[in-house]
Amino acid sequence: MKEKTTEKRSFLWLNTTQFFGALNDNLFKLLMIFYLISVLGSEAAGEVSAATGIAFVLPFLIFSPIAGMVADRITKSKLIVAAKASEILVMAVGTLSLVTSSVVGLYVTLFLMALQSTFFSPAKYGIVPELVSREGLSRANGQLEAFTYLAIILGTTAATTVPMITGGDYRLAGFATIVIAIA
């Protein structure tokens, strides 16, 4: 019975980590888009959205095979902890970029954020069979996916709400991403 409780708790922590990571990815990406449009003007909206999409997707396309090989060679739990620690650092760089109004820094942050997620993903999916029983594997994967999509929806919603709460102060909104990364 104790083994089942430990199994549930370990999976809960993984799911929570994944949830906050996906929430943060979407929150920061959209905060960045809104901030850049507010600074560069609405006529730059198309270019900002396209460049942001490229900066976010590129790490997944380029580094996913490498991330999978790394997840096969390094203990998945250590890789997950390292990825989560790097998320905190990346969000700090992103907040600093907002504070200093560094457009290049924001794009670098977005790239690094996606790179962190790229290395987190294979470890996340690879560790699930180690955390849950064979009979619970499909259910666990379903829960992981459901909470990921919930985080995407909430991150998207928060990106429109947080700037309103902070009175349009994107620097303060950036600090929210650090808090989420730490959570």
Side-chain angles (χ1 to χ4, degrees):
M1 188 63 150
K2 186 176 181 175
E3 188 175 309
K4 285 281 188 190
T5 304
T6 303
E7 178 181 291
K8 285 182 181 181
R9 192 175 7 191
S10 295
F11 178 74
L12 175 66
W13 282 116
L14 174 67
N15 208 357
T16 301
T17 300
Q18 165 60 20
F19 175 84
F20 283 118
L23 180 112
N24 226 6
D25 284 355
N26 287 279
L27 173 60
F28 183 83
K29 179 176 63 171
L30 288 170
L31 282 175
M32 179 180 151
I33 289 171
F34 297 153
Y35 173 75
L36 290 174
I37 290 171
S38 76
V39 170
L40 302 174
S42 59
E43 60 277 354
E47 292 170 8
V48 167
S49 295
T52 301
I54 291 167
F56 187 73
V57 170
L58 221 56
F60 290 101
L61 294 175
I62 295 170
F63 296 104
S64 285
I66 296 166
M69 290 187 317
V70 170
D72 283 339
R73 289 179 172 81
I74 297 176
T75 307
K76 289 166 192 60
S77 59
K78 287 181 182 176
L79 191 55
I80 289 169
V81 169
K84 193 61 181 174
S86 69
E87 180 186 347
I88 296 167
L89 294 173
V90 169
M91 291 298 98
V93 169
T95 300
L96 181 63
S97 297
L98 285 168
V99 168
T100 61
S101 300
S102 172
V103 174
V104 172
L106 289 170
Y107 282 109
V108 167
T109 298
L110 187 63
F111 184 89
L112 292 173
M113 185 182 71
L115 184 63
Q116 175 270 334
S117 294
T118 301
F119 279 86
F120 177 78
S121 289
K124 167 189 69 179
Y125 287 116
I127 203 168
V128 172
E130 297 173 20
L131 299 179
V132 300
S133 66
R134 184 176 172 92
E135 299 79 33
L137 193 54
S138 294
R139 182 173 26 95
N141 282 328
Q143 289 174 352
L144 204 54
E145 286 300 305
F147 278 93
T148 299
Y149 283 105
L150 177 62
I152 291 167
I153 292 166
L154 292 176
T156 301
T157 303
T160 59
T161 307
V162 171
M164 287 190 288
I165 292 169
T166 64
D169 188 342
Y170 286 92
R171 296 169 298 182
L172 272 178
F175 283 106
T177 65
I178 296 172
V179 171
I180 292 169
I182 292 169

